[in-house]
Amino acid sequence: MKDSFRKLVTISGVMGSGLLGLLPGESFAQGDLVRGQEVPLTECAGWLIQSSTAPAIESNAVYWFVQGLPAYPPGGHFRFRTGFPRARYMSWQNHDFLGFSTALLADTDIVPDRGENPFLPNTPYVPESAYTVDLLDVPPEARPPKPPRPANILYGGYRYDGGTTEYNSVAYRVYLPDPGTDSLGGIPQPDFYFVVDDPAKTSLEGIHEMCEKMRKIQEAEKRALIGLVESAESPEETRETQILPAERDELRLRVIDGPSAAGGIPSPSASDFNNGLARYRAVTPHPNGRGTYYNAQTGYLLVFLSPSRGEVTVMRFRAPSFPDTQGLQDIPDDISGNEQLRYWSLCMHNTSALWTTNGCLYDAQTAQDGDGYVTFAFSNPENRPANADNWLPTTDTIPALILRHMQPNPAFTEALLYYAGTNNDPAAITAHMGEYFPLVTTCTKAEFERDRCGSVAGAQ
């Protein structure tokens, strides 16, 4: 097992026992159930992942997955209790068993049980602030409009098109915890409960059996990710012997937070470029929830770099505004609501190794040019220019970049989330994004160190 995968296990296991943080078992209390009782589900409380080795992952975030939650569980529903993290962003999103998005509860929509919601505009963080989320299986046509939708409801049981789902798969994300906190922003992992709505239709034994089935599904998902990471990191000559073709096809669907409108991972070839330096593909959420564990508040732009590129590939675009909650560039900001994006980032991936992540740079980490633009350099480590402040390594023949635009301001019409054109039409994508579209050029290491490849503003 490779060191990077061992890191995946070690980091994620901090919150629990076993690989990827699957929590240890606790015996269920005995006694009669009553309406409104919260039964802790520690045995099947999901698993954490925080690692750059998983496919198409954003390395500046932590993810908590609770999969295999049956729709319409007899006699009750599921509930989560937790505190607000000290972080740039968080969300609760629901998916079907394949990871297709079915519902979103945004951080700005959460009403606290006590304290304040720090994700609302100009709201300082108040320690001990906490909230509750209920997972309710309700058909789309029966869900109240927003507003006045009941607070803190994450809907399940149905896809956006009204089709039913057998299982719910809940994903909780935390991005950019504040300095001095942990990966979850200084709060414990959320508590997970089964709430008794009708004691006549459930029992402690039935809840335990349901939890055991959920735990087995979570273990299977965990093993799938382990197999995917181990396969991607293995030598090419042994890679195919580790995973059967059918298993590999299934694993290719498991793109965590990944931009895949059809549920698969693109596999570009050299013939795709037609002597161009880059190929572009925009991926935005679809009304029917297509896409495997993507973030429903994020628009993605995939940029594939040509194998015939030079020593250094250069990318330049206008940087959208954001709240610098970590204070990397100045005094820490509260979220004002006036920023163009809550968060943006650029990550480098290996397309030949199931989209493993080489590295990410997020908004506050990037050094801006004097004109409000940002310039990135991509190269093999030995060709890194000495003056490349914003640099990511390329170790693949056809590397791919993912540009994320997260939770855009409605006034920021150039955001990727609002793109409605053909996903592989660079002219349409350019027209939509304007100055925020990433132009690409290439040059030698010496040319970049001399003048950053000349006038990058005119790159094609």
Side-chain angles (χ1 to χ4, degrees), residues 61-72:
V62 64
Y63 307 80
W64 180 49
F65 292 97
V66 186
Q67 292 150 316
L69 287 76
Y72 288 104

Side-chain angles (χ1 to χ4, degrees), residues 65-331:
F65 292 97
V66 186
Q67 292 150 316
L69 287 76
Y72 288 104
H77 70 278
F78 298 103
R79 173 175 289 170
F80 305 91
R81 289 189 185 277
T82 188
F84 289 96
R86 291 179 176 270
R88 174 83 70 83
Y89 167 92
M90 68 94 167
S91 70
W92 292 86
Q93 300 187 39
N94 198 11
H95 311 265
D96 64 11
F97 192 60
L98 291 177
F100 288 9
S101 177
T102 60
L104 162 72
L105 179 61
D107 53 17
T108 52
D109 291 334
I110 293 175
V111 177
D113 298 331
R114 63 176 184 269
E116 300 288 343
N117 180 346
F119 298 102
L120 294 177
N122 302 310
T123 303
Y125 187 88
V126 176
E128 307 301 325
S129 295
Y131 64 96
T132 301
V133 173
D134 286 294
L135 176 61
L136 299 182
D137 299 311
V138 179
E141 65 274 11
R143 299 172 186 176
K146 188 178 65 173
R149 177 176 293 180
N152 300 2
I153 303 299
L154 181 64
Y155 287 106
Y158 299 84
R159 299 182 179 90
Y160 288 121
D161 61 5
T164 60
T165 62
E166 183 179 3
Y167 293 99
N168 296 302
S169 298
V170 174
Y172 169 71
R173 293 173 172 85
V174 176
Y175 272 69
L176 288 187
D178 289 357
T181 66
D182 57 16
S183 61
L184 284 171
I187 61 170
Q189 183 170 306
D191 295 323
F192 181 38
Y193 301 95
F194 182 79
V195 181
V196 179
D197 297 324
D198 187 346
K201 295 182 179 179
T202 188
S203 66
L204 286 172
E205 181 181 3
I207 296 172
H208 177 75
E209 291 176 355
M210 176 181 64
C211 186
E212 179 63 17
K213 291 179 181 178
M214 290 168 53
R215 187 190 63 79
K216 290 180 179 179
I217 290 173
Q218 293 163 13
E219 285 280 6
E221 290 290 317
K222 180 185 67 177
R223 287 195 301 270
L225 179 61
I226 290 172
L228 179 60
V229 174
E230 287 184 331
S231 171
E233 294 183 340
S234 297
E236 187 69 32
E237 62 270 17
T238 64
R239 193 175 294 163
E240 295 298 332
T241 65
Q242 293 181 334
I243 299 182
L244 297 174
E247 293 174 324
R248 175 173 292 276
D249 290 342
E250 174 67 16
L251 292 176
R252 288 175 71 85
L253 294 176
R254 306 298 183 185
V255 185
I256 298 176
D257 200 21
S260 176
I265 304 176
S267 299
S269 64
S271 60
D272 293 335
F273 290 88
N274 297 323
N275 298 319
L277 294 176
R279 290 291 296 258
Y280 297 88
R281 180 186 179 192
V283 179
T284 57
H286 292 261
N288 62 358
R290 286 187 301 162
T292 309
Y293 287 113
Y294 68 70
N295 187 336
Q297 293 184 288
T298 300
Y300 304 87
L301 182 66
L302 279 64
V303 184
F304 301 94
L305 301 182
S306 169
S308 61
R309 63 190 182 277
E311 285 183 346
V312 179
T313 304
V314 180
M315 176 180 287
R316 194 169 190 263
F317 56 87
R318 179 172 290 281
S321 63
F322 60 91
D324 183 14
T325 53
Q326 292 185 317
L328 294 189
Q329 297 185 349
D330 201 348
I331 300 173

Side-chain angles (χ1 to χ4, degrees), residues 2 44 50 117 123 151 215 240 285 287 317 352 355 395 408 412 439 454:
K2 299 292 187 290
C44 49
Q50 181 196 15
N117 180 346
T123 303
R215 187 190 63 79
E240 295 298 332
F317 56 87
S352 65
W355 286 72
T395 58
F412 183 37
L439 297 171

Side-chain angles (χ1 to χ4, degrees), residues 354-428:
L354 295 179
W355 286 72
T356 51
T357 307
N358 275 351
C360 296
L361 290 171
Y362 64 88
D363 42 34
Q365 288 179 319
T366 60
Q368 293 192 19
D369 303 336
D371 56 1
Y373 280 70
V374 287
T375 301
F376 292 87
F378 318 119
S379 70
N380 293 330
E382 60 271 21
N383 289 328
R384 176 176 182 174
N387 58 339
D389 296 323
N390 306 322
W391 176 83
L392 288 170
T394 57
T395 58
D396 203 8
T397 303
I398 304 178
L401 292 145
I402 297 178
L403 175 64
R404 286 173 170 85
H405 280 185
M406 183 180 293
Q407 202 167 349
N409 189 314
F412 183 37
T413 58
E414 296 92 340
L416 282 162
L417 189 64
Y418 302 139
Y419 178 68
T422 304
N423 69 348
N424 60 353
D425 184 346

